[in-house]
Amino acid sequence: MGGPDHEREGQGASKTLLRFLTCGSVDDGKSTLIGRLLYDSQLVLEDQLAALVADSRKLGTVGNDIDFAFLVDGLQAEREQGITIDVAYRYFATGKRKFIVADTPGHEQYTRNMATGASGADLAVILVDARKGLLTQTRRHSFIVHLLGIRHVVLAVNKMDLVAFSEARFDEIAAAYREFAARLGIPDVTCVPVVARTGDNVCRPGETMGWYKGPSLLAILEETEAGQDPSGRPFRMPVQLVSRPNADFRGFSGNVVSGRVAPGDKLTVLPSGRVAEVARIVTADGDLAVAKAGDAVTIVLAEEVDVSRGDVLTAAAERPQVADQMAAHLIWMGDEPMLPGRPYHVKCGTQAATATVSALKHKINVDTLEKTAARQLGLNDIGLCNLSFSRPLVFEPYDTLRELGSFILIDKLSNATVGAGLIRFGLRRAEHVHWQALTIDKAARAAAKHQKPCCLWFTGLSGSGKSTLADLLDKRLHADGRHTYILDGDNVRHGLNRDLGFADADRVENIRRVAEVAKLMVDAGLIVIVSFISPFRAERRMARDLFQEGEFVEVFVDTPLEVCEQRDPKGLYRKAREGLIKNFTGIDSEYERPEAPELHLLTEQASPEALVDDILADLARRSSA
Amino acid sequence: MTRLSDHLKKLEDESIFILREVAAEFQKPVLLYSIGKDSSVLLHLAMKAFYPAKPPFPLLHVDTTWKFAEMIAFRDETVRRLGLDLIVHINEQGLAEGISPVTHGSAVHTDVMKTVALRQALDKYGFDAAIGGARRDEEKSRAKERIFSVRSAQHRWDPKSQRPELWRIFNTRLRPKESMRVFPLSNWTELDVWSYIEAESIPIVPLYFAAERPVVERDGMLIMVDDARLPLQQGEKPQMRRVRFRTLGCYPLTGAIESTAASLAEIVDELVEARTSERQGRVIDKDEAGSMEKKKQEGYF
């Protein structure tokens, strides 16, 4: 196989790149297989080998043999636990090809890492243990591989030595897998029996399995066609940044993601829809006569048009879609569940916006491929969702063009990447609902009422005294001639939110609706008092984000749980303790305390009247500010 | 451009994309310039990424004061030639305490003059993204590093809370005081770096080319006597040997290899014949198993 001479030769222009991932269940021998590929293609160097022998002796699980898994299990925690817990990237080359390998973990809770490895791959090697055959994980990984658009799958049936190199056993597993893959719709499946530990059929034919006439795993990797070349598709380039080194130069930098472009071509800038002609394609190596998919370039347009980061330059004749609502598969990667209605940051190519899931259509059981109804997505769940974005996004369906068909969701509080999205199609209905520009605006309505409208958002446990305080405050404001309204949790649930329960997903929707109503009322010039338990920080923040600076006043009604439970004005705590009410805040559902409320009321230390005095004083300060 | 193989062209396009993302998404990025071959490639890519503009970030060199004299000369010449801003940071406290690789050993010296010094510099200037030339093929724990990797306010790296990185969509969001490390060369191998230097005629420090140099042999490593600060042990006498360096760091911690490779083509030839990985020449990785992982958690690049 690819010795040193081959490798040198391989730097020539003909050598191609294949990105593939390996996946399988725990102990199927993924790391060993990659270690074997590196070792047999002579990419293991002397000092690495010395470290490997030392590691194998100290921690090894294969007696005195060299444990090839140590070549790839990078983090110390993993070496000690004997499992791979994170995606590792490895590089090797043969005379024909350069390879980038993503070694992905088999443990269920790390499925998100598998999706990560699959997102950039052209081919997947799925390992199974010949003794165990297809497992839940095998099906799960195959489904993710298919979902992420990988067209080529190699099933490596490992540990053939432990089933006495049985052809019948191999055929049985291969047939079962082909049947499953066909149901998924994976177009290209190859099965190969291997022994990663000894290298049989990995880089060379295994004499132990004379009955197998097919190519070795490495030969398959060398011959499989890499990803489809998007050069033949219409031109698309997401703008990364605007280059303005001086007053005479204005260019738009980015990587072409599909098609070709040449000076003189007519382009459309989306989402604005403006049309312009390409004047120059600038690179540090000189202007180009044509740029194609993959190229990092800077495009100068002949006309002065407004272009900024996040816009997409596209062929004028063949535009991609633009929509603010679309259907997408979502792979959930967050520890906290995905709740419809909760806002997340979204990044799609270079476009950024806020996204909420407006409907979770179904969750997919990846073992049976069954679609089931669900209210939320937990870690490693996959579902088909409708999403709504804060602004229109330029996109293509994922299966048409990964670069414009994929997005990530980011938690607004933790900044963690919590979801990976694959766009299926745009939803058109939003196009017909336009914002109506109104003549009488919020300022005019407020002026007519001689007050500064705002939303006082009371949050706290059930029985903390929110309603009592809100009612008292409302009376005092009303007596002062203010125009007010109270939105009370219980009351709203009798009408507007009658259809909602108390599961997390319902609580999020409950708050979203109330926040939107409160916003309309503030627009109308009212002082709105909202009295809701609103237990989650994310939703209180969502509510806050609807308002302008200074309009939202978070009032934390802070009463210890024991005191609330002792008061128990509606007998709810007793019922919750008896198990008659589920998801009761403070008992079996969490209350996340506000971190920086505008007002923090300690109800045990002052009378309700005194606390309302404090609120009024604060309001007076705000309206004079 | 046409000189590049398909593979190198893809790597170049990807790295340029990453560098532009940094410029677009962060308030105050900086490029960590360590003068070595990887930094030379990184800088070359940055010049290409923003052409005809200059890179919109300064270079930062954390100087341990024990770099080879030729490295410092090359650094100053490079900055002058390209017309870039260079910030040189030295841990003055460490310097005042006389920390040196000779008297304190590699672990203490690296921690104080490199790791702590880097944290000092990032805090001092308030950089929110630091671009480095690390590659995943260098060491096992690097193989799992993200391209965009978050560091806490204390500059610590938590291998358990790394963000999944899908497609080429990078989550660049930070909380106050957090910062990002960005590695545009993640997918390059040592051979790719050399092949690219050759194809693009990128200037590098002459120490990479074989020449007669004064060296002493210690613990199986050839250490160059770069100046009078290296105390010679009993019986040690510098010998002139034909050597070159595969990696450049602090001179008392960087082993030379015997070589006759005096041109880029010869270096690439030697490399594909080689059976020793480049970090072998670094004393600091050998301290104990998983030592790179530990250093990274502490904030080493």
Side-chain angles (χ1 to χ4, degrees):
Chain A
M1 290 307 114
D5 296 341
H6 287 97
E7 207 179 325
R8 178 73 211 258
E9 194 183 298
Q11 287 293 332
S14 63
K15 193 160 185 166
T16 55
L17 173 70
L18 185 82
R19 291 173 188 255
F20 71 96
L21 83 155
T22 56
C23 42
S25 202
V26 179
D27 294 335
D28 285 344
K30 294 175 305 297
S31 297
T32 307
L33 184 80
I34 296 178
R36 176 54 74 176
L37 281 168
L38 298 177
Y39 183 78
D40 284 0
S41 58
Q42 298 178 28
L43 256 283
V44 180
L45 305 170
E46 275 168 16
D47 58 332
Q48 287 177 344
L49 195 60
L52 179 64
V53 171
D55 274 352
S56 299
R57 296 242 167 89
K58 198 161 94 189
L59 305 161
T61 52
V62 293
N64 276 332
D65 285 352
I66 294 174
D67 189 343
F68 290 100
F70 286 125
L71 273 177
V72 288
D73 287 349
L75 303 181
Q76 204 162 33
E78 296 172 34
R79 284 208 294 277
E80 282 155 17
Q81 291 169 20
I83 52 159
T84 310
I85 58 171
D86 204 341
V87 191
Y89 292 92
R90 287 282 147 186
Y91 307 85
F92 71 98
T94 67
K96 294 181 181 164
R97 243 186 191 162
K98 282 257 181 188
F99 298 95
I100 299 180
V101 193
D103 180 18
T104 61
H107 248 225
E108 183 168 353
Q109 63 265 44
Y110 297 110
T111 293
R112 63 178 174 190
N113 291 322
M114 210 225 94
T116 304
S119 73
D122 304 309
L123 177 149
V125 176
I126 295 180
L127 261 96
V128 296
D129 183 326
R131 294 168 302 175
K132 296 181 194 157
L134 307 187
L135 298 176
T136 299
Q137 284 294 306
T138 317
R139 297 191 180 93
R140 178 178 286 261
H141 291 160
S142 301
F143 177 72
I144 294 171
V145 156
H146 171 64
L147 191 71
L148 284 148
I150 295 177
R151 301 165 50 79
H152 309 286
V153 171
V154 179
L155 185 80
V157 182
N158 191 24
K159 305 192 184 180
M160 286 299 294
D161 52 332
L162 301 181
V163 295
F165 305 105
S166 161
E167 182 178 8
R169 179 62 180 152
F170 171 74
D171 287 345
E172 181 192 344
I173 293 171
Y177 189 75
R178 283 180 193 285
E179 198 267 325
F180 180 73
R183 268 205 289 156
L184 283 176
I186 297 172
D188 176 32
V189 175
T190 315
C191 303
V192 54
V194 300
V195 183
R197 207 169 48 76
T198 61
D200 285 7
N201 286 336
V202 176
C203 294
R204 53 179 172 75
E207 291 131 32
T208 48
M209 289 168 277
W211 46 265
Y212 175 73
K213 304 297 181 203
S216 68
L217 175 62
L218 186 65
I220 297 168
L221 295 175
E222 284 183 324
E223 297 303 329
T224 303
E225 196 183 323
Q228 288 163 308
D229 180 12
S231 301
R233 300 196 45 78
F235 170 73
R236 313 280 183 244
M237 189 189 95
V239 174
Q240 274 189 289
L241 49 87
V242 179
S243 175
R244 302 198 72 166
N246 55 57
D248 301 329
F249 188 92
R250 183 175 154 84
F252 309 107
S253 301
N255 286 38
V256 179
V257 295
S258 76
R260 297 165 170 272
V261 68
D265 285 0
K266 281 251 181 289
L267 300 185
T268 300
V269 182
L270 288 177
S272 74
R274 289 188 182 82
V275 177
E277 193 179 298
V278 177
R280 294 173 60 196
I281 303 170
V282 177
T283 77
D285 297 298
D287 282 13
L288 301 183
V290 61
K292 60 177 186 4
D295 293 346
V297 296
T298 297
I299 289 181
V300 177
L301 298 174
E303 295 83 2
E304 282 259 328
V305 290
D306 190 22
V307 178
S308 52
R309 175 175 166 86
D311 288 347
V312 182
L313 304 183
T314 72
E318 296 165 290
R319 301 181 184 189
Q321 300 177 57
V322 180
D324 64 358
Q325 299 199 42
M326 51 189 86
H329 277 113
L330 203 54
I331 303 171
W332 199 249
M333 304 181 158
D335 295 327
E336 298 262 314
M338 184 287 292
L339 300 176
R342 182 172 279 188
Y344 300 96
H345 295 298
V346 60
K347 199 170 175 191
C348 173
T350 61
Q351 305 174 90
T354 292
T356 55
V357 170
S358 47
L360 173 51
K361 301 214 274 198
H362 59 250
K363 194 162 101 173
I364 299 169
N365 180 327
V366 295
D367 307 327
T368 61
L369 305 186
E370 264 173 10
K371 294 164 184 169
T372 54
R375 308 295 303 276
Q376 58 183 49
L377 292 178
L379 179 62
N380 292 316
D381 280 347
I382 296 170
L384 183 64
C385 305
N386 287 347
L387 290 108
S388 163
F389 300 96
S390 58
R391 66 182 193 83
L393 298 184
V394 184
F395 75 97
E396 299 236 39
Y398 181 82
D399 291 333
T400 305
L401 185 63
R402 283 186 197 182
E403 285 82 355
L404 280 181
S406 54
F407 61 84
I408 58 169
L409 295 182
I410 300 167
D411 187 277
K412 287 198 162 190
L413 293 174
S414 71
N415 286 333
T417 301
V418 290
L422 304 98
I423 298 169
R424 297 306 171 195
F425 49 87
L427 301 170
R428 298 262 164 204
R429 58 174 188 252
E431 287 178 9
H432 309 297
V433 186
H434 295 286
W435 278 105
Q436 198 67 44
L438 302 171
T439 316
I440 309 296
D441 64 5
K442 176 158 59 177
R445 292 175 202 284
K449 296 184 182 64
H450 307 289
Q451 65 184 29
K452 191 178 173 197
C454 66
C455 172
L456 290 144
W457 190 282
F458 284 54
T459 173
L461 293 167
S462 175
S464 60
K466 295 184 299 300
S467 296
T468 306
L469 288 168
D471 187 53
L472 204 53
L473 175 66
D474 195 29
K475 278 194 247 172
R476 295 275 298 272
L477 286 167
H478 187 73
D480 268 1
R482 302 294 173 199
H483 300 260
T484 63
Y485 195 79
I486 292 189
L487 288 166
D488 179 83
D490 288 344
N491 295 351
V492 171
R493 277 187 178 276
H494 285 304
L496 176 66
N497 290 354
R498 184 165 58 189
D499 57 328
L500 299 177
F502 289 87
D504 285 355
D506 284 341
R507 286 175 180 271
V508 172
E509 176 62 13
N510 186 35
I511 300 301
R512 189 191 69 80
R513 290 185 197 172
V514 168
E516 290 283 1
V517 170
K519 180 181 186 272
L520 290 175
M521 289 182 166
V522 168
D523 276 345
L526 300 182
I527 294 170
V528 186
I529 304 166
V530 176
S531 171
F532 270 65
I533 298 172
S534 43
F536 303 136
R537 271 181 212 123
E539 278 64 57
R540 294 194 298 262
R541 185 183 164 131
M542 168 184 76
R544 179 184 294 273
D545 287 348
L546 287 175
F547 294 90
Q548 287 171 6
E549 189 72 28
E551 279 181 356
F552 187 85
V553 181
E554 187 171 342
V555 183
F556 178 24
V557 183
D558 189 0
T559 308
L561 178 64
E562 312 82 71
V563 177
C564 296
E565 194 165 354
Q566 208 180 346
R567 287 182 193 159
D568 205 7
K570 299 165 199 161
L572 297 174
Y573 281 97
R574 186 178 48 76
K575 287 185 190 164
R577 288 288 183 200
E578 288 168 4
L580 299 172
I581 305 176
K582 291 274 175 241
N583 300 317
F584 195 79
T585 301
I587 306 297
D588 58 348
S589 180
E590 197 188 353
Y591 179 80
E592 298 172 355
R593 292 169 65 88
E595 279 165 345
E598 274 76 7
L599 284 166
H600 188 169
L601 307 181
L602 296 161
T603 61
E604 285 192 298
Q605 294 175 16
S607 68
E609 289 74 16
L611 292 171
V612 167
D613 284 341
D614 290 347
I615 301 172
L616 287 168
D618 185 76
L619 277 183
R621 265 198 307 278
R622 278 169 202 284
S623 46
S624 61
Chain B
M1 298 258 311
T2 48
R3 292 160 300 165
L4 292 181
S5 70
D6 290 346
H7 177 64
L8 289 178
K9 176 70 169 53
K10 282 202 170 95
L11 291 175
E12 181 189 71
D13 288 330
E14 177 180 84
S15 300
I16 288 176
F17 178 82
I18 293 162
L19 286 162
R20 287 170 173 173
E21 280 300 284
V22 176
E25 296 272 70
F26 292 90
Q27 304 289 324
K28 203 172 176 191
V30 66
L31 188 147
L32 294 184
Y33 180 67
S34 67
I35 320 173
K37 63 183 191 310
D38 302 302
S39 282
S40 294
V41 167
L42 198 55
L43 185 54
H44 183 79
L45 289 165
M47 295 301 292
K48 282 189 139 183
F50 302 101
Y51 178 87
K54 291 271 169 65
F57 38 72
L59 311 189
L60 170 66
H61 179 225
V62 175
D63 191 350
T64 62
T65 72
W66 285 87
K67 299 294 170 190
F68 292 89
E70 278 185 77
M71 290 173 72
I72 301 301
F74 179 86
R75 176 193 74 189
D76 295 342
E77 159 57 21
T78 300
V79 170
R80 198 164 40 241
R81 175 169 52 84
L82 300 176
L84 300 173
D85 293 331
L86 171 74
I87 297 166
V88 176
H89 180 81
I90 296 171
N91 181 350
E92 294 295 345
Q93 197 190 338
L95 198 63
E97 287 167 9
I99 302 288
S100 95
V102 176
T103 48
H104 295 80
S106 73
V108 172
H109 170 73
T110 303
D111 181 55
V112 174
M113 298 307 287
K114 257 177 119 166
T115 308
V116 174
L118 174 62
R119 291 203 299 250
Q120 284 175 346
L122 295 177
D123 288 343
K124 178 176 171 186
Y125 296 98
F127 294 121
D128 57 354
I131 306 162
R135 306 187 319 269
R136 286 182 182 142
D137 82 325
E138 279 176 66
E139 205 267 350
K140 277 192 281 191
S141 79
R142 291 253 199 239
K144 308 199 169 188
E145 179 61 284
R146 301 297 191 266
I147 294 173
F148 284 71
S149 182
V150 183
R151 296 296 187 275
S152 70
Q154 293 74 40
H155 300 285
R156 289 183 66 93
W157 178 68
D158 177 4
K160 297 238 170 197
S161 71
Q162 293 203 76
R163 296 170 178 173
E165 214 160 55
L166 293 104
W167 301 290
R168 267 185 213 162
I169 311 176
F170 301 109
N171 177 351
T172 52
R173 290 188 178 270
L174 295 174
R175 287 197 272 190
K177 305 240 166 146
E178 284 179 344
S179 60
M180 196 70 85
R181 302 291 181 273
V182 186
F183 306 107
L185 302 183
S186 286
N187 285 326
W188 296 56
T189 62
E190 186 185 14
L191 182 61
D192 295 327
V193 165
W194 281 115
S195 304
Y196 187 72
I197 288 171
E198 186 184 13
E200 295 278 295
S201 307
I202 301 171
I204 50 168
V205 183
L207 290 162
Y208 285 111
F209 299 110
E212 295 281 328
R213 297 188 171 99
V215 294
V216 293
E217 197 170 332
R218 278 185 192 170
D219 305 327
M221 295 210 314
L222 295 173
I223 302 296
M224 180 171 157
V225 186
D226 196 54
D227 59 36
R229 289 181 295 172
L230 187 74
L232 297 178
Q233 289 156 15
Q234 202 164 19
E236 264 185 355
K237 206 174 150 207
Q239 302 173 310
M240 293 305 283
R241 305 259 284 262
R242 196 160 182 81
V243 297
R244 67 176 201 88
F245 293 86
R246 289 183 65 184
T247 176
L248 292 176
C250 296
Y251 82 79
L253 301 177
T254 309
I257 54 167
E258 294 203 78
S259 166
T260 57
S263 70
L264 285 169
E266 285 167 5
I267 287 174
V268 176
D269 279 341
E270 185 183 278
L271 191 68
V272 296
E273 301 287 345
R275 282 286 154 267
T276 305
S277 72
E278 64 186 311
R279 281 208 159 256
Q280 192 191 29
R282 294 265 179 117
V283 178
I284 58 169
D285 290 348
K286 285 195 177 164
D287 300 346
E288 55 190 302
S291 68
M292 174 70 88
E293 183 185 346
K294 282 203 181 118
K295 285 193 194 69
K296 285 179 54 149
Q297 288 178 17
E298 302 294 327
Y300 179 73
F301 219 68

